[in-house]
Amino acid sequence: MGATLAALLHELDPSLRLLMLERLEAPALESSAAMNNAGTGHAANCELNYTPIQADGTVATTKAVSINASFERSLEFWSSLQQKGRLNTGGFLRQAAHISAVWTAENIAFLRQRYGQLNQLPAFSAMRWSEDPVELAEWMPLVMEGRDPQQPVAATRIERGTDVDFGALTQAYLLPLQQSGALELRYGTQVQNLKRIRRSDMTEGDWRVVFKGPSGKKEVRAPFVFLGAGGGALPLLQRSGIPEADDFAGFPVSGLWLVCSDASLAERQTAKVYGKAAVGAPPMSVPHLDTRWIDGQRSLLFGPFAGFSSKFLKQGSLLDLPASVRATNLLPMLQVGATNFELVQYLINQLRQSPAERHEALQQFMPTARANDWTLSVAGQRVQIIKRSKQGGRLQLGTEVVASGDGSLAALLGASPGASTAVTIMLEVLQRCFKQRLDSEAWQQRLQSLLPSINEDPQQDPQVLNRMRERSDALLGLAA
Ligand SMILES: Cc1cc2nc3c(=O)[nH]c(=O)nc-3n(C[C@H](O)[C@H](O)[C@H](O)COP(=O)(O)OP(=O)(O)OC[C@H]3O[C@@H](n4cnc5c(N)ncnc54)[C@H](O)[C@@H]3O)c2cc1C
């Protein structure tokens, strides 16, 4: 997130001096590391949780259309940087068909309803449907092989899906920024505190950011601070003392993958196959069998299996959760615990799962899977947002930009759809924190050349969507 914001700011004003402080020894070792997330270019093509069923039997499509447009914005940004010679998209972006697959009568009825509605929308008009076992075996051989021929299976497919190595993307953003001299990046440097400096006339001035690095404790002054610390953003937001922080608490969900070590199996799957989440499962725990390209190597991932750890970062502390409890967020946390019984039950069950039960879950997707080919790998931590509202504490499963009223500080909380929509999220940060400069002619001109459709809405106008897609496909080599 921080790298995306840095890249955007640099494009808009190359004279800005940027400082990035990272507690670990390299960039993107937490959630953005390739093996810590699923690497799906979330465009709502296959993720069934983005189109929940409604009381009237139809599915809600608004969120899916909005996520799809956000991903198009990311593609538009990457295309422009590639065109300017500042980003090699080949190092992190691959085309992989996005498939949703289900095999119970209830889930097939749901998928049919979803397909019927989405297929009518310009964003998803290329979606295909199949219940034909021969075609399904072509689409997803590993899912169909060894399956009971009597078991009905249905799937939808969108050819223009992607797999993204967000760790490689982060590095690709940062390197040219460092080389240009615009960005100073300090590793092994943990931000510990931040406070607003009061000017002599008692008005609020710059931020004083206190950090501990290889040469001890230091501080730096900055007129604007972005807390792009992933799971570590909430504690820092709380330390900033801005009143907006009082509305938030965090609920960490950990994850595990099964990773296939048999290269010949990985070669046979060229798609991301998403299923339907179990009852009570948090939406981001939808099981999927995923083709991945990491460091140029093909691999196969299944999961995630959810779990609970009180850490906010994979390399964090077990005290993260208790230390985040405040008088202002304790009640909302308790309310969420009391009203999300199914989620708590689901997490307890996932934690209790034995290796044999995990393998059984994998075999529902891939009947011929052999336990010896798969090893367990720990995914990143996701700190879900608990937000205080008049109706009580609410568990919020998306992301949220929290900004101080004067726009001098912003933080990103939450996890999903996350990295795929980073460009749209960072444009919101610019809107809220750099409004005046964003409206200036100079920034508008630069923004327009970077994101040619920025002043148009692909969600409302199919021609805009088509133009965006044609441009990105030509520059990135994607095919419908
Ligand atoms: C299991 C799982 C699956 C996912 N799947 C997908 C997917 O398929 N597609 C998708 O788009 N998104 C996915 N996501 C979400 C995605 O990974 C995140 O949205 C994204 O990586 C968040 O980026 P970030 O920069 O905010 O956080 P991070 O990548 O976690 O980076 C935060 C950085 O801040 C550093 N930091 C923290 N605290 C401090 C401090 N005090 N001082 C200095 N540095 C600090 C950390 O070390 C870290 O490097 C998934 C996430 C998980 C966990």
Side-chain angles (χ1 to χ4, degrees), residues 146-206:
R147 193 171 286 278
D148 176 359
Q150 301 306 315
Q151 185 184 36
V153 179
T156 59
R157 177 181 176 109
I158 286 194
E159 207 56 45
R160 186 181 175 269
T162 54
D163 177 68
V164 186
D165 179 339
F166 292 108
L169 167 62
T170 307
Q171 298 194 20
Y173 274 145
L174 294 178
L175 200 63
L177 292 178
Q178 284 177 283
Q179 282 167 346
S180 74
L183 174 72
E184 184 189 344
L185 188 39
R186 297 197 200 166
Y187 294 115
T189 304
Q190 171 138 354
V191 176
Q192 295 184 322
N193 210 346
L194 59 161
K195 282 279 165 282
R196 207 69 197 273
I197 298 170
R198 285 207 186 277
R199 298 193 191 95
S200 52
D201 63 359
M202 295 311 281
T203 57
E204 292 189 317
D206 289 350

Side-chain angles (χ1 to χ4, degrees), residues 1 22-23 30-32 37-40 42 191 229 382 415 417-420:
M1 292 290 171
E22 167 56 58
R23 69 193 281 265
E30 280 286 342
S31 287
S32 300
N37 63 70
T40 302
H42 284 311
V191 176
R382 282 187 266 208
S420 302

Side-chain angles (χ1 to χ4, degrees), residues 1-4 20-42 47 50 71 162-164 166-167 170 186-193 210-212 226-233 235-236 239 253-257 272 274 284 288 290 292 303-305 312-315 378-384 399 412-422 425-426:
M1 292 290 171
T4 306
M20 188 178 277
L21 305 174
E22 167 56 58
R23 69 193 281 265
L24 300 179
E25 298 303 329
L29 294 181
E30 280 286 342
S31 287
S32 300
M35 281 301 286
N36 286 348
N37 63 70
T40 302
H42 284 311
E47 309 84 339
Y50 295 147
F71 190 64
T162 54
D163 177 68
V164 186
F166 292 108
T170 307
R186 297 197 200 166
Y187 294 115
T189 304
Q190 171 138 354
V191 176
Q192 295 184 322
N193 210 346
V210 180
F211 58 88
K212 194 168 176 197
F226 174 61
L227 302 173
L236 291 177
R239 265 172 229 150
V253 177
S254 58
L256 293 170
W257 303 116
K272 287 172 173 275
Y274 274 61
M284 67 287 170
H288 46 97
D290 245 271
R292 300 294 309 273
F305 299 96
F312 279 179
L313 292 162
K314 192 172 164 180
Q315 300 189 47
V378 179
Q381 281 291 100
R382 282 187 266 208
V383 180
Q384 309 297 340
T399 54
L412 181 75
L413 302 181
S416 188
S420 302
T421 53
I425 297 172
M426 291 309 123

